[in-house]
C-alpha cells in the first residue's frame, strides 16, 4: 500500500521540480555560483528544507532527493575554463543555408542568411563554429554592419564583433564560409563507396548529433535553440541530393552545367542536430503509408531490393505511431538511407534518417534472421524519434535519456505489433534490461539523468544507462500505470510541448495527470540516483497464505553494502504456480522492508517475485524458495521471462559474492530441457562470462565439457537444417547453439562445420545466411592458417556489408598467435571501414592470448586510434572491449597508468568502469576458483 495520500505525492513532485528549476536558474543567472561548492550546497539545502517542511511524512524520499542534489553539487568542475551555454541575447529564427561540397578536394563552400532576433543590445554575436573558416560576416538591421571574426577553438565558438551595438529587434546575419569534408564520420563528412563497376567514389553526408552541426555551418548548436531551415545544396547533376524536406526546385548551376542546384521546402521549427544533407549515388524504393505519407528507402546503387524489408516496416510503423501517440507524422515525406561509413547504428534526422548499411539492408538470401530482426528494431527506434525527440525535444543533453530511453522501449512495442512471432519482449530482458543491470551495478555507473556541461561530456552518456536502463524503467512504468493511461499521458505530453523543449519532469507530470498515480515521486527515485535495488525475499506459511518479507537495498557489483540513503519506490509483483502468467498481487514498495501476503498458496507451491521480469531490480530468494522454483525450471511451468530473469539474477548475485558460484552452476543444470531461444541466449551469455574467468585457471577444459553436456540436448533437437514451417526464433536458436558447441569444441559439431565450410568455399553448396556465423566461428576456432586465408578470400568476394562484418568479427576467434596478429593488423587495414575496426579488434579478445595481444596492439597504435575516434563513442567501445575482461589487480594498475599518460576525456568513465570490472574479476577468481574447479572435476 502506498504510504501517503494521492494528493501529497503530486504536490511533492511539483515542489521538487520547482526547487530544481530554482537551482538551475540561479546557477544560470550567476555563473560564479556554479564554481562555489559551498554556495551550491547552501542553495540545495534550502531547497530540500522546503521539501522537508512540506512533506514530512516521507522521510525516505527526502534523504533520497538530498543525495540527488548532493550528486549535482559534488560534480567535478572542469580544471580549465568553465563551460557556459550560448547567451540568449541574439537567437535565430530561420537559417537560409547554401552548401556546395567538392567531392574531389573534400572541401565545401557555404553561405547563410540567418534571420535573428536581437533581444538585448550587444556588440558581439557568439555562436558555435568548429573547423570552419568564416570569410565574411555582415549584419543587416537598421543599418548594415561588417563584423570582425575571432574564434575560441577550445569552446568551439565564433565571436563576431561589430563596430556599433546591434539594437533589439529583427535582423539578418549574413555569413560566407568554407570547411572540410572530414573523414571522422561527424559533421559534414565524406563517405567512401564502390560503384557496381568497381570505381571508388565519395558521398558527402552528415552526422550532427550531439554537437557537430557546427562543423557544417556556424549556428546556435544547442537543442533548445530551435529555428526553421531553408536548405539549398549544390552538387553533381548525376548524384542524388537529399535533405530533411521535399525538393521545391532543381536547376542547373549557371557557372557549371555539370552541377545542379537543389532547393528544399522550409523545415518545421527544429534543433540543429536533426538537420541532414546527403549528396551521393543511390537507388531507392518508395511506397506510401495508409495516411498517404511518401516513404522512400535509399540503398547503394544496384541494391534497391535490399531496401524492401525496411520499406515495409516503415510503412507499417508510421501509422502505428500516429495511432499510439494520437498525432499524425508532421512531415510530408520520410526517407531512410544507407550510408557506407557511419559511426552510429542510425540517426533520426527529421524526415531523412541515416543508417549503417547493416542496420537497413536485408537480402532475402544472405541476411540472417538476427540481422533482419535488428533492422526492424532500428527502423522502429528511429521513426519513434520523429515524435519523441524531434517534435518534442529535450531541453539539454542532461535529458538525453528522454529521447533514447523512450525510443529504446517503444521500438519493441512497434516490432511486437509488426512481427508478434519475434517475441521481442522476452528478448528485451536479455538485450536491454540485463545490459542495464550489469552496468548499473558498478560503482562507476551514473544516474539516468546526469548533469552535462561541455559537449565533450555528452558522448559518455550514449550508453546502456541512457538507452537500456531508460527503456527498462519506462517499461516498468508502463506496466504499472497500464497502456491506456500511458497512451493518454503521451498524447498530453506531445500536444502540450510540440515544437518545443522539455525536461524529464514534464513527461512525469503528463503521465501523472493521465493516470492519477504518483509518477513523479516514484520515477524521481529512478532517474536521479544511480543503481537499483536487490530485493531479499524470505517466506513463511500462514495457513492457506504465503507471507513474504521483502527487504530492499542497493545492489552493488562487489557485494558490499552501499550505505544509507539509497531507496527506491517500485512496483513489486508476485506470481504463483497456480497462475504463473500474471501477478497474484502487485504492491508499491516505498520502504526498506515490506510484508506481502499472498492468499490461497499451498505449502508445496512456488511463488515468483517480479512476474515477467518487468521490475528493474534483482531478487535474492531464501534457499527454501529457490528449491521450490527449480522443478518449475525443469518442467518449464515457470514462464520463459521468469526462467530467464531467475538465472540472470543468480549469476549476478554469484559475481557479487552474494551466493556460491557452484550453487548457481547446479541450478543451471535445471535448464537442460530448455527450448526457448531467449532463455538460452541469456543463459549462454552468463555462462560465457564465467568461461572468460575460468580461462585463467586449469578448470577451463572441464568447464567446456560441462557446457557441451548442457547444450547437447538442445543441439540435437535443433540440428543443422531447418524443419518445415520453422519459426524465426528456432532459426536464431540454431545459430546460437551451434556457435556455442563449436566454440566449446564439440567434435561432431566441428566435423560437420568443416564439411559444410569446404562445400561453401568450393561453391558446391552455399551456406545459408543463418549458418555462416556459427560455421565461420567453429572452423576458425578449431582451424589453422588455411582456414584464415579462406575466410579472407570470402571477405574480399563479399558484396554485402553484412557478410563482411560477419567474417571480420570472426577472425579473432583463433587461438594461434600469428593469426591473432594478422587479425589485428587487418582491423586497421584499408579493407576494413573505420566504423568496423573497433569491432574487429574486439573480436580478438575472447581468449587470454587474444586479450593480451589486443591490449598491446591498442597501446602501440593508440595515437592513430585516438585521432580516428576522438570525441566519439567508438573510442569508449574500444577501451571497454580491450580492457574489461582482464582478471588481476596488476592489470588494473596497468590500465590506469596508461590512460593517466594518455588521457581520453570522452571515455574517462569507461576507463573507471573497466578497472572496476577487472578488480571484480580478480576477486571472483580468488573467492570461487578452488570450489568451482573441484565441482567441475567431479562432474567430468
Amino acid at each position: 500500500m502506498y504510504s501517503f495520500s494521492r494528493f501529497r505525492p503530486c504536490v511533492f513532485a511539483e515542489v521538487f521540480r520547482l526547487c530544481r528549476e530554482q537551482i538551475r536558474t540561479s546557477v544560470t543567472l550567476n555563473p560564479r555560483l556554479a564554481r562555489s561548492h559551498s554556495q551550491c550546497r547552501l542553495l540545495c539545502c534550502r531547497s530540500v528544507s522546503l521539501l522537508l517542511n512540506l512533506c514530512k511524512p516521507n522521510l525516505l524520499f527526502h534523504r533520497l532527493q538530498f543525495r540527488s542534489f548532493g550528486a549535482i553539487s559534488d560534480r567535478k568542475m572542469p580544471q580549465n575554463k568553465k563551460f557556459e551555454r550560448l547567451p540568449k541575447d541574439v537567437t535565430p529564427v530561420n537559417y537560409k543555408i547554401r552548401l556546395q561540397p567538392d567531392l574531389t578536394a573534400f572541401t565545401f563552400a557555404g553561405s547563410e542568411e540567418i534571420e535573428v532576433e536581437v533581444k538585448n543590445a550587444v556588440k558581439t554575436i557568439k555562436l558555435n563554429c568548429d573547423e570552419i573558416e568564416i570569410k565574411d560576416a555582415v549584419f543587416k538591421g537598421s543599418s548594415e554592419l561588417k563584423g570582425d571574426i575571432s574564434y575560441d577553438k577550445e569552446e568551439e565558438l565564433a565571436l563576431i564583433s561589430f563596430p556599433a551595438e546591434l539594437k533589439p529587434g529583427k535582423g539578418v546575419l549574413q555569413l560566407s564560409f568554407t570547411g572540410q569534408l572530414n573523414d571522422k564520420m561527424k559533421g559534414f563528412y565524406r563517405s567512401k563507396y564502390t560503384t557496381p563497376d568497381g570505381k571508388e567514389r565519395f558521398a558527402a553526408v552528415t552526422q550532427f548529433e550531439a554537437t557537430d552541426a557546427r562543423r557544417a555551418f556556424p549556428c546556435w548548436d544547442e537543442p533548445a535553440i530551435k529555428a526553421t531551415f531553408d536548405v539549398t545544396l549544390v552538387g553533381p547533376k548525376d548524384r542524388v541530393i537529399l535533405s530533411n524536406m521535399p525538393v521545391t526546385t532543381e536547376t542547373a548551376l549557371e557557372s557549371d552545367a555539370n552541377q545542379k542546384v537543389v532547393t528544399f521546402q522550409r523545415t518545421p521549427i527544429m534543433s540543429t542536430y536533426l538537420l541532414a544533407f546527403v549528396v551521393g549515388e543511390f537507388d531507392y524504393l518508395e511506397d506510401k503509408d495508409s495516411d498517404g505519407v511518401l516513404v522512400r528507402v535509399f540503398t547503394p546503387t544496384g541494391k534497391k531490393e535490399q531496401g524492401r524489408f525496411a520499406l515495409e516496416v516503415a510503412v507499417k510503423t508510421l501509422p502505428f505511431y500516429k495511432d499510439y501517440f494520437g498525432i499524425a507524422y508532421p512531415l510530408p515525406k520520410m526517407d531512410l538511407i544507407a550510408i557506407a561509413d557511419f559511426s552510429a547504428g542510425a540517426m533520426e534526422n527529421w524526415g531523412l534518417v541515416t543508417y549503417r548499411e547493416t542496420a537497413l539492408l536485408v537480402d532475402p538470401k544472405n541476411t540472417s534472421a538476427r540481422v533482419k530482426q535488428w533492422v526492424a528494431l532500428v527502423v522502429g527506434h528511429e521513426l519513434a524519434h520523429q515524435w519523441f525527440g524531434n517534435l518534442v525535444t529535450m531541453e539539454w543533453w542532461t535529458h538525453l535519456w528522454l529521447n533514447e530511453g523512450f525510443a529504446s522501449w517503444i521500438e519493441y512495442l512497434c516490432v511486437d505489433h509488426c512481427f508478434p512471432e519475434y517475441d521481442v519482449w522476452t528478448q528485451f530482458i536479455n538485450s536491454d534490461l540485463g545490459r542495464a543491470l550489469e552496468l548499473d551495478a558498478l560503482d562507476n555507473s551514473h544516474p539516468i539523468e546526469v548533469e552535462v556541461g561541455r559537449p565533450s561530456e555528452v558522448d559518455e552518456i550514449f550508453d546502456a544507462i541512457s538507452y537500456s536502463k531508460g527503456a527498462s524503467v519506462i517499461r516498468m512504468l508502463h506496466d504499472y500505470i497500464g497502456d491506456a493511461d500511458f497512451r493518454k499521458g503521451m498524447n498530453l505530453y506531445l500536444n502540450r510541448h510540440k515544437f518545443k523543449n522539455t525536461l524529464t519532469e514534464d513527461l512525469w507530470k503528463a503521465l501523472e495527470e493521465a493516470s492519477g498515480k504518483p509518477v513523479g515521486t516514484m520515477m524521481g527515485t529512478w532517474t536521479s540516483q544511480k543503481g537499483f535495488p536487490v530485493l531479499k525475499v524470505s517466506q513463511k506459511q500462514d495457513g492457506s497464505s504465503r507471507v513474504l518479507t521483502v527487504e530492499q537495498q542497493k545492489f552493488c557489483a562487489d557485494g558490499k553494502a552501499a550505505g544509507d540513503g539509497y531507496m527506491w519506490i517500485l512496483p513489486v509483483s508476485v506470481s504463483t504456480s497456480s497462475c504463473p502468467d500474471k501477478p497474484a498481487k502487485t504492491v508499491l514498495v516505498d520502504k526498506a522492508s515490506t510484508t506481502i501476503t499472498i492468499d490461497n498458496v499451498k505449502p508445496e507451491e512456488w511463488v515468483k517475485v517480479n512476474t515477467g521480469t518487468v521490475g528493474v531490480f534483482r531478487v535474492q530468494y531464501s534457499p527454501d524458495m529457490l528449491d521450490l522454483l527449480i522443478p518449475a525450471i525443469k518442467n518449464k511451468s515457470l514462464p520463459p521471462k521468469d526462467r530467464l530473469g531467475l538465472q540472470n539474477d543468480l549469476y549476478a548475485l554469484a559475481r557479487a559474492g552474494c551466493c556460491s558460484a557452484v550453487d548457481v552452476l547446479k541450478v543451471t543444470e535445471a535448464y537442460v530441457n530448455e527450448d526457448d531461444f531467449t532463455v538460452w541466449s541469456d543463459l549462454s551469455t552468463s555462462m560465457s562470462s564465467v568461461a572468460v574467468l575460468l580461462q585463467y585457471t586449469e578448470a577451463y577444459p572441464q568447464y567446456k565439457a560441462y557446457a557441451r553436456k548442457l547444450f547437447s540436448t538442445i543441439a540435437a533437437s535443433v540440428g543443422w537444417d531447418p524443419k518445415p514451417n520453422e519459426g524465426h526464433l528456432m532459426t536464431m536458436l540454431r545459430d546460437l547453439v551451434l556457435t556455442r558447441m563449436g566454440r566449446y569444441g564439440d567434435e561432431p559439431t566441428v566435423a560437420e562445420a568443416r564439411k559444410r565450410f569446404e562445400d561453401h568455399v568450393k561453391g558446391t553448396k552455399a551456406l545459408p545466411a543463418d549458418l555462416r556465423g556459427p560455421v565461420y566461428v567453429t572452423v576458425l576456432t578449431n582451424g589453422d592458417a588455411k582456414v584464415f586465408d579462406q575466410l579472407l578470400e570470402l571477405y574480399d568476394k563479399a558484396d554485402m556489408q553484412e557478410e563482411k562484418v560477419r567474417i571480420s568479427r570472426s577472425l579473432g576467434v583463433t587461438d594461434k598467435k600469428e593469426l591473432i596478429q594478422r587479425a589485428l593488423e587487418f582491423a586497421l587495414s584499408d579493407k576494413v571501414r573505420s566504423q568496423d575496426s573497433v569491432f574487429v579488434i574486439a573480436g580478438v579478445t575472447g581468449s587470454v592470448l587474444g586479450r593480451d595481444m589486443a591490449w598491446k596492439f591498442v597501446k602501440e597504435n593508440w595515437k592513430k586510434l585516438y585521432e580516428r575516434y576522438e570525441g566519439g563513442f567508438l573510442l569508449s567501445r574500444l577501451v571497454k572491449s580491450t580492457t574489461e575482461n582482464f582478471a588481476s589487480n596488476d592489470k588494473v594498475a596497468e590500465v590506469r597508468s596508461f590512460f593517466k599518460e594518455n588521457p581520453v576525456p570522452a571515455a574517462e568513465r569507461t576507463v573507471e568502469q573497466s578497472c572496476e570490472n577487472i578488480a571484480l574479476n580478480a576477486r571472483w577468481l580468488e573467492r570461487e576458483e578452488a570450489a568451482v574447479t573441484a565441482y567441475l572435476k567431479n562432474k567430468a
Side-chain angles (χ1 to χ4, degrees), residues 163 257 352 435 450 452 592 660:
L352 177 56
R435 288 179 63 236
V450 58
V452 173
S660 161

Side-chain angles (χ1 to χ4, degrees), residues 672-687:
V672 67
N673 298 317
E674 185 59 62
D675 59 3
D676 184 276
F677 160 71
T678 309
V679 178
W680 267 118
S681 179
D682 197 71
L683 181 59
S684 65
T685 299
S686 298
M687 293 178 65

Side-chain angles (χ1 to χ4, degrees), residues 788-805:
F788 192 93
D789 290 335
Q790 288 172 320
L791 281 169
L792 287 181
E793 289 178 17
L794 291 174
Y795 181 93
D796 290 338
K797 292 176 183 177
D799 184 48
M800 273 196 78
Q801 185 64 13
E802 178 188 336
E803 177 72 350
K804 287 184 178 291
V805 167

Side-chain angles (χ1 to χ4, degrees), residues 828-829 861-869:
L828 292 187
S829 71
N861 292 276
W862 181 250
K863 183 178 180 181
K864 181 176 182 179
L865 290 163
Y866 185 78
E867 288 175 354
R868 180 185 286 195
Y869 300 117

Side-chain angles (χ1 to χ4, degrees), residues 2 4 9 12-13 58 61 64-65 473-481 508 512 517-529 567-572 588-590:
Y2 199 51
F4 49 96
F12 187 89
N58 198 342
F61 198 53
L64 171 71
Q65 297 301 352
V473 299
I474 288 173
R475 174 174 173 251
M476 178 172 65
L477 176 63
H478 173 267
D479 184 76
Y480 170 58
I481 69 176
W508 300 155
E512 191 164 282
K517 293 184 177 179
V519 174
T521 305
M522 170 182 159
M523 297 308 292
T525 70
W526 290 98
T527 59
S528 298
Q529 62 179 341
M567 204 65 63
W568 288 263
I569 299 175
L570 63 158
V572 176
L588 196 66
V589 172
D590 64 347

Side-chain angles (χ1 to χ4, degrees), residues 425-439:
W425 280 120
T426 304
Q427 295 184 57
F428 179 95
I429 301 168
N430 175 26
S431 58
D432 279 271
L433 178 59
R435 288 179 63 236
L437 296 181
E438 182 180 2
L439 178 57

Side-chain angles (χ1 to χ4, degrees), residues 437 476 526 532-533 535 570-572 609-610 615-619 649:
L437 296 181
M476 178 172 65
W526 290 98
F532 58 89
L535 303 188
L570 63 158
V572 176
V609 175
N610 197 9
V616 185
F617 49 84
R618 300 283 186 198
V619 180
D649 285 350

Side-chain angles (χ1 to χ4, degrees), residues 53-290:
N53 289 331
L54 288 173
C55 307
K56 287 181 180 177
N58 198 342
L59 295 177
L60 148 68
F61 198 53
H62 306 329
R63 291 199 304 271
L64 171 71
Q65 297 301 352
F66 190 81
R67 289 187 65 91
S68 173
F69 280 123
I72 295 172
S73 66
D74 287 341
R75 182 178 179 82
K76 291 182 180 178
M77 297 297 171
Q79 295 301 309
N80 54 2
K81 183 169 58 177
K82 177 187 174 292
F83 171 75
E84 294 180 359
R85 290 170 64 174
L86 292 171
K88 301 293 178 62
D89 298 315
V90 180
T91 55
V93 176
N94 174 263
Y95 295 83
K96 188 176 183 180
I97 304 168
R98 180 186 173 108
L99 293 171
Q100 182 170 358
D102 186 326
L103 299 176
T104 303
F106 304 135
T107 61
F108 63 89
S111 63
E112 59 184 334
E113 294 181 0
I114 311 173
E115 181 186 344
V116 299
E117 182 177 352
V118 181
K119 298 178 180 178
N120 299 300
V122 293
K123 291 187 70 173
T124 299
I125 293 178
K126 186 185 293 187
L127 69 169
N128 295 116
C129 181
D130 191 16
E131 297 184 354
I132 286 176
E133 183 181 357
I134 302 176
K135 301 290 187 180
D136 191 56
V138 174
F139 183 84
K140 293 183 177 180
S142 56
S143 61
E144 184 172 310
L145 299 171
K146 185 174 177 60
D148 291 327
I149 303 151
S150 61
Y151 302 93
D152 183 337
K153 291 187 177 180
E154 182 184 352
E155 298 298 324
E156 301 175 353
L157 296 173
L159 295 89
I160 305 172
S161 300
F162 298 94
E165 279 192 338
L166 310 182
K167 303 301 182 184
K170 296 291 179 75
V172 175
L173 178 64
Q174 295 182 336
L175 304 174
S176 62
F177 51 90
T178 58
Q180 300 291 319
L181 287 176
N182 68 72
D183 61 354
K184 297 182 181 296
M185 296 182 289
K186 57 185 178 181
F188 201 17
Y189 70 94
R190 62 185 186 264
S191 172
K192 185 169 67 175
Y193 62 96
T194 304
T195 63
D197 57 0
K199 293 180 181 178
E200 185 179 280
R201 292 207 181 129
F202 290 86
V205 299
T206 56
Q207 170 58 36
F208 290 162
E209 190 179 28
T211 57
D212 287 316
R214 64 193 67 179
R215 293 174 180 267
F217 59 101
C219 57
W220 283 259
D221 198 14
E222 295 183 0
I225 307 180
K226 291 187 170 186
T228 55
F229 297 83
D230 297 322
V231 175
T232 298
L233 298 174
V234 182
K237 67 178 183 180
D238 61 347
R239 305 296 162 93
V240 171
I241 298 181
L242 301 170
S243 188
N244 305 72
M245 298 296 288
V247 173
T248 54
T249 63
E250 183 175 314
T251 59
L253 181 65
E254 289 185 7
S255 60
D256 185 349
N258 292 317
Q259 300 278 308
K260 62 183 177 181
V261 180
V262 182
T263 302
F264 300 89
Q265 292 179 19
R266 177 171 290 187
T267 71
I269 186 170
M270 58 188 277
S271 303
T272 49
Y273 80 90
L274 295 170
L275 203 61
F277 320 129
V278 173
V279 180
E281 294 176 277
F282 301 91
D283 284 341
Y284 71 93
L285 293 167
E286 68 175 37
D287 197 358
K288 288 187 176 181
D289 73 4
S290 57

